[in-house]
Amino acid sequence: MADLSCNLGGIRSPNPFWLASGPPSNSGEQVARAFDQGWGGAVWKTVGEPIINTTSRYSSIDWNGQRMMGLNNIELISDRPIEENLREIREVKRRYPDQAVVVSLMVDSTRKAWHDIVKRTEDTGCDGLELNFGCPHGMSERGMGAAVGQVPEYTCQITAWVKEVARTPVIVKLTPNTSDVRYIARAAQKGGADAISLINTLNSITGIDLDTFVPRPNVGGMSTHGGYCGPAVKPIALNMVSSAALDPEFHIPISGIGGIATWRDAVEFILLGAGTVQVCTAVMHYGFRIIRDMLEGLEFYLEEKGFQSLNELRGRSLPHLTDWGNLDLNYRIVAKIDPETCIGCQLCYVACWDGAHQCIHLREDRRVPLIDEVECVGCNLCALVCPVEDCITMAQVPGPAGKMSWNALRSGRS
Ligand SMILES: Cc1cc2nc3c(=O)[nH]c(=O)nc-3n(C[C@H](O)[C@H](O)[C@H](O)COP(=O)(O)O)c2cc1C
């Protein structure tokens, strides 16, 4: 059996699956049930002040029969008193010594407020702290959350204040609502962070009621922008994790978050350099029980690949990422249609003709379209729109000899 245990900047857990800070980690009772089902760690729902919230709080995007493909929330931090949270954190840690109990914190941007909350929180015996510099709504207007996480100097300063007194490892949670997440990641590292986690939610408005004209969620006829998460944000999160992991100026561990619902999602984050992964929306949607499939799937995958531990998997995809300018311009693929499985829907023809490069043609006598392989630019669009799995595949064909990149062309090398 492969070893699933992790050590993220000094925080140990029996497996890489942690609850992300959010409604599923809002009480001791919930976190205990999650640990009983197999979760390796939990980042407690952000503890701090003020303790207020609105009804309603959530809205979502459904897509093609998939409920909550993207989830939006205007919820603030924990609506439970700090003392109550701290008491339950102490109790959970006592009962579950092996699981990682990390506490998410957000308080006023003063040194004293941070020193106080860090000391009170660490008195519970928790394993680490996560600084919430990412909340995009409500708190940012008060100079907290994303208001800190969007400015490298503030991120560095508050992290440094926390590190002045913290005895446990400190994770800085990053907002994706920034132009280049690497600057904030570097600022967290400069402030002394032991790890970063990303992503928090993306600014969003999920939709509008066309009869009342009120955007969702509706709070007494008014609305506000919220934070977007769930399966829709996974590609954005993967890109941000990889850009931090590939940054030569960045060296601390990463906890990956954003749209993770299956062991496959988790593997993708780990392949791009994540040491642990965190899950919120999928647990809100399907419950704690999804951990069983996640653990079983990850174990099976590692065994199948012959890996003894997660360390052997971490970052394996990073060498396959490069700047666009380094890609091989001589690599050529063209589309092939399998006449046996083609249903003659002609979606590929329409997509290619109207939306791409006009190299798929209709033949009067046959239902299967014809690909002009000389003209085909290998863009993949026909394979992407084809409703029949593996009916259109992309096949490599001989291109010009050798490799040629844009960067090589510009510098006069071949
Ligand atoms: C309803 C809701 C409440 C959240 N509350 C917090 C919070 O208190 N602190 C925090 O750091 N992140 C919070 N998040 C963000 C999640 O921890 C996570 O970063 C984000 O949802 C992306 O992960 P996911 O796609 O698995 O949901 C919240 C997310 C949701 C949906």
Side-chain angles (χ1 to χ4, degrees):
M1 199 74 95
D3 178 14
L4 296 190
S5 66
C6 300
N7 182 343
L8 188 95
I11 304 173
R12 294 176 184 283
S13 65
N15 65 59
F17 299 107
W18 295 4
L19 296 179
S21 178
S25 58
N26 195 29
S27 69
E29 188 274 333
Q30 286 169 288
V31 174
R33 266 193 298 124
F35 286 167
D36 285 341
Q37 301 216 22
W39 290 86
V43 183
W44 212 271
K45 167 84 182 166
T46 304
V47 172
E49 277 164 347
I51 299 168
I52 48 168
N53 264 306
T54 58
T55 68
S56 59
R57 298 179 198 177
Y58 309 149
S59 60
S60 70
I61 299 279
D62 300 340
W63 183 250
N64 244 355
Q66 156 84 54
R67 298 285 273 164
M68 270 172 47
M69 195 264 305
L71 175 67
N72 172 66
N73 83 89
I74 58 168
E75 180 170 296
L76 301 191
I77 59 177
S78 176
D79 50 9
R80 304 172 65 239
I82 296 179
E83 267 319 313
E84 203 172 306
N85 274 306
L86 296 181
R87 191 168 14 90
E88 291 178 15
I89 291 164
R90 176 177 286 113
E91 176 60 16
V92 166
K93 188 62 233 174
R94 193 186 59 74
R95 277 180 60 197
Y96 299 89
D98 297 335
Q99 275 78 0
V101 178
V102 178
V103 184
S104 171
L105 298 176
M106 188 198 289
V107 289
D108 278 339
S109 297
T110 67
R111 186 182 199 172
K112 180 172 182 325
W114 278 101
H115 280 193
D116 286 351
I117 194 72
V118 167
K119 288 178 194 160
R120 284 169 76 191
T121 306
E122 286 191 333
D123 281 347
T124 61
C126 66
D127 299 297
L129 307 173
E130 188 180 80
L131 313 185
N132 181 351
F133 295 163
C135 203
H137 45 259
M139 309 307 280
S140 51
E141 292 87 329
R142 287 160 236 239
M144 298 185 248
V148 175
Q150 285 167 336
V151 184
E153 291 77 14
Y154 297 167
T155 301
C156 177
Q157 177 64 80
I158 294 182
T159 308
W161 286 340
V162 168
K163 286 296 290 184
E164 284 169 359
V165 291
R167 288 172 281 121
T168 63
V170 174
I171 305 171
V172 171
K173 183 167 180 179
L174 304 192
T175 175
N177 300 312
T178 174
S179 54
D180 189 337
V181 79
R182 288 175 302 179
Y183 294 110
I184 311 292
R186 285 177 206 161
Q189 175 179 265
K190 190 169 164 207
D194 299 280
I196 59 165
S197 56
L198 69 168
I199 59 174
N200 208 311
T201 53
L202 283 143
N203 287 332
S204 71
I205 291 178
T206 41
I208 298 177
D209 184 317
L210 297 187
D211 295 318
T212 63
F213 313 136
V214 181
R216 302 189 183 94
N218 179 336
V219 184
M222 297 295 286
S223 191
T224 189
H225 75 274
Y228 200 45
C229 52
V233 309
K234 192 183 89 175
I236 298 162
L238 285 174
N239 179 50
M240 289 194 168
V241 165
S242 74
S243 67
L246 282 169
D247 180 3
E249 292 180 37
F250 181 81
H251 312 289
I252 57 177
I254 299 171
S255 185
I257 321 171
I260 297 168
T262 67
W263 67 268
R264 288 174 188 276
D265 299 328
V267 167
E268 288 175 317
F269 276 83
I270 295 167
L271 286 170
L272 289 178
T276 62
V277 292
Q278 302 185 24
V279 182
C280 179
T281 303
V283 172
M284 291 176 72
H285 199 160
Y286 303 109
F288 297 130
R289 63 198 168 137
I290 59 171
I291 188 63
R292 293 181 214 145
D293 279 353
M294 289 173 129
L295 283 173
E296 210 176 285
L298 181 61
E299 266 167 8
F300 187 73
Y301 174 78
L302 289 175
E303 206 174 294
E304 196 183 66
K305 294 282 171 213
F307 294 137
Q308 304 299 315
S309 76
L310 285 177
N311 288 339
E312 294 171 48
L313 191 66
R314 187 170 317 116
R316 282 249 170 175
S317 293
L318 292 173
H320 297 282
L321 277 173
T322 187
D323 290 340
W324 188 94
N326 293 326
L327 296 177
D328 181 10
L329 300 174
N330 286 349
Y331 175 73
R332 257 184 66 65
I333 54 171
V334 297
K336 304 268 184 200
I337 301 179
D338 175 7
E340 295 301 317
T341 53
C342 176
I343 56 172
C345 69
Q346 298 175 4
L347 260 179
C348 58
Y349 163 74
V350 173
C352 185
W353 206 249
D354 292 357
H357 300 91
Q358 301 83 47
C359 32
I360 300 184
H361 305 281
L362 289 186
R363 292 184 282 194
E364 260 174 34
D365 52 331
R366 304 226 358 232
R367 81 192 148 78
V368 181
L370 177 75
I371 291 178
D372 180 341
E373 291 192 7
V374 177
E375 291 298 315
C376 176
V377 301
C379 73
N380 289 347
L381 182 65
C382 54
L384 298 178
V385 300
C386 178
V388 181
E389 207 176 325
D390 292 336
C391 172
I392 300 184
T393 48
M394 307 302 295
Q396 191 173 354
V397 291
K403 290 190 174 182
M404 172 57 71
S405 70
W406 174 238
N407 286 345
L409 270 178
R410 281 197 308 175
S411 63
R413 288 179 281 119
S414 64

